[in-house]
Amino acid sequence: MSVFAALVDQLADLLHPLFGTAAAAAAIVLFTALVRLLVHPLSRAAARGQRARAQLQPRIAELRKRYAKQPEKLRKAVLELHTEEKVSPLSGILPSLLQLPAFFLLYRLFSGGGDGLLSHQLFTAPLGGRWTDALAGDGMFGPAGLVYVGLFLVVAVIATFTYVRARRTAADTATGAGAGTGTGALGKVLPLLSYGTLITVAVVPLAVALYVVTSAAWSAVERAVLST
């Protein structure tokens, strides 16, 4: 952790002429973007896997109808289809799981980066502080509170963009696969999870919130680009 904390501190020193007292916050954003760039090949692999599995959904739907009362034959037929098309049932999932250690490392770093990192500020909001601290100080629309208002607005825009895309993707997949009402209901609920980032930003230290917002923005843009 000390190595990564030192790296962020060095980035802050380099960015200080441009960002002044907000250099540490800018360093967190830059560091998060660099890590996401390093794991981008995994995201590309995940996107390819998701597209391959989506293309098989209509054929899997046909198999479900054919073997509706024969679950063992259905399982075998689905596995044979994936083998025939050289598509792993876990394609698109495993690469995402492999990214978790990197994200966990960043979370630990930005939630306990020590006085050298968390003692800095974004405008008047301490990187080690939380939204509740800002509310207890000058209130929601005080100098520190406005920092969080800005973050909430950014997250709301990202979440709405992700929500709309997820609803559209879920509708297309359900139509192509001939999904029933259960899948349709699930498709309506899952996109709402994108708004959970608002809760995260409200409860974690500001340094972690910057990481979360940067990562969410990267993910939204990355998914949009890779899905085209």
Side-chain angles (χ1 to χ4, degrees), residues 28-44 99 103 106 154 158 161-162 210-226:
I28 290 175
V29 173
L30 178 59
F31 184 74
T32 305
L34 290 174
V35 172
R36 291 302 305 264
L37 183 62
L38 288 175
V39 299
H40 178 69
L42 298 178
S43 299
R44 292 181 65 87
Q99 296 181 38
F103 298 154
L106 288 174
V154 172
I158 296 171
F161 175 79
T162 303
L210 290 174
Y211 149 66
V212 170
V213 173
T214 304
S215 187
W218 183 285
S219 294
V221 174
E222 187 176 61
R223 289 169 185 164
V225 171
L226 293 178

Side-chain angles (χ1 to χ4, degrees), residues 160-190:
T160 302
F161 175 79
T162 303
Y163 172 79
V164 171
R165 285 188 56 82
R167 283 291 301 272
R168 186 182 302 123
T169 301
D172 293 342
T173 300
T175 301
T181 56
T183 303
L186 185 62
K188 293 179 181 179
V189 172
L190 288 180

Side-chain angles (χ1 to χ4, degrees), residues 3 25 70 88 167 174 218:
V3 173
Q70 299 172 293
S88 170
R167 283 291 301 272
W218 183 285

